[in-house]
Amino acid sequence: MKIYFIFVFLFITFTYQESIDTDKMLMIYFTITGNTELFANYINEKIPMETYKITPVTAYPDNENDMLPIAQNEQNNNLRPEIKDPLTDISDYDIILIGYPLWYSHIPNILITQLEKLNFTGKKVYPFNTHGSSGIGSTVNDIKQYATGADVKDGFAISRSVIRNNKESAVTQINEWIEKNFGNISINSSEFNKIEYINLVLITFILNLIL
């Protein structure tokens, strides 16, 4: 009997995975056409977290043909479009998800405006983006450049056609990405799970001594 409880103790110890406290997660995203917002919403359905949407002072055209020359001009001239009520403090968060559309293989300049206002030291950053056909482009390197001090993870890209027209495929990819990067998600309750684990270990240890 004593051997059995030793086995249980070891099993609990080696199979326990610390869950992630979603109170410490923040999503920052920028969208114009709504594709990246849809992407962000799909992620939030799986992992509810605090969300901040970047809103420009001067709105971009909804029509892509009108918007792209503006985006290219911002990149060519290294502009910093102004943001309404930008974030200034992310000290309460450990994990930051950053979402954006791919613009000429780079992140939108308005995202740079936001990144440069924040201290990313010690933060884990997970980029995700929508695109027409170019995948991640150079956006991960862009974020590494402007999110100074962050541990920037691999990018996650889904085409806008899949996001817009094939929710099942999009959600499947998102679930796989979440499982790969975050594993055991516990919504706002990691402290509870830690206590639960400690209690199990203590109970097993005491029973092992008694029996």
Side-chain angles (χ1 to χ4, degrees):
M1 196 67 173
K2 200 168 186 178
I3 294 175
Y4 170 77
F5 283 107
I6 293 174
F7 173 79
V8 171
F9 176 84
L10 291 174
F11 176 81
I12 293 172
T13 300
F14 288 107
T15 60
Y16 172 75
Q17 291 183 337
E18 183 178 359
S19 59
I20 294 173
D21 184 357
T22 55
D23 279 340
K24 295 293 186 180
M25 299 179 74
L26 171 68
M27 181 187 293
I28 300 170
Y29 75 93
F30 171 66
T31 188
I32 292 179
T33 61
N35 294 323
T36 304
E37 186 162 51
L38 202 54
F39 196 168
N41 289 342
Y42 289 161
I43 294 174
N44 235 338
E45 287 175 7
K46 182 71 174 180
I47 317 176
M49 72 186 80
E50 189 73 23
T51 301
Y52 171 76
K53 178 180 178 180
I54 296 172
T55 304
V57 169
T58 303
Y60 290 89
D62 293 332
N63 183 283
E64 186 175 15
N65 291 330
D66 295 330
M67 181 274 295
L68 287 178
I70 296 173
Q72 191 167 45
N73 178 62
E74 290 177 355
Q75 289 185 358
N76 291 343
N77 293 286
N78 198 27
L79 302 181
R80 297 292 186 272
E82 291 185 70
I83 298 173
K84 293 181 182 178
D85 300 319
L87 280 178
T88 58
D89 183 16
I90 54 173
S91 59
D92 289 339
Y93 305 98
D94 298 327
I95 296 174
I96 317 293
L97 280 66
I98 300 178
Y100 48 88
L102 184 74
W103 284 5
Y104 294 105
S105 297
H106 293 280
I107 61 175
N109 279 49
I110 193 169
L111 181 56
I112 300 174
T113 303
Q114 179 59 82
L115 296 181
E116 290 181 331
K117 295 179 183 298
L118 300 171
N119 181 3
F120 283 91
T121 303
K123 310 298 182 185
K124 293 181 180 179
V125 170
Y126 294 83
F128 67 94
N129 73 277
T130 53
H131 63 94
S133 60
S134 302
I136 296 166
S138 301
T139 62
V140 173
N141 287 333
D142 292 341
I143 292 174
K144 287 180 179 178
Q145 179 179 350
Y146 296 107
T148 306
D151 176 12
V152 182
K153 306 299 184 181
D154 292 339
F156 176 36
I158 299 182
S159 73
R160 62 192 179 204
S161 62
V162 171
I163 285 291
R164 181 64 66 181
N165 302 314
N166 193 341
K167 179 178 180 179
E168 182 178 356
S169 175
V171 170
T172 297
Q173 293 180 58
I174 288 167
N175 287 342
E176 290 173 353
W177 176 75
I178 288 172
E179 178 64 27
K180 175 184 176 182
N181 288 282
F182 305 112
N184 180 26
I185 291 292
S186 178
I187 299 172
N188 300 339
S189 62
S190 64
E191 290 303 319
F192 170 80
N193 285 338
K194 290 175 185 175
I195 293 170
E196 184 181 54
Y197 166 69
I198 292 170
N199 286 340
L200 283 171
V201 170
L202 288 174
I203 290 170
T204 303
F205 180 73
I206 291 169
L207 287 173
N208 181 57
L209 290 177
I210 294 173
L211 299 176

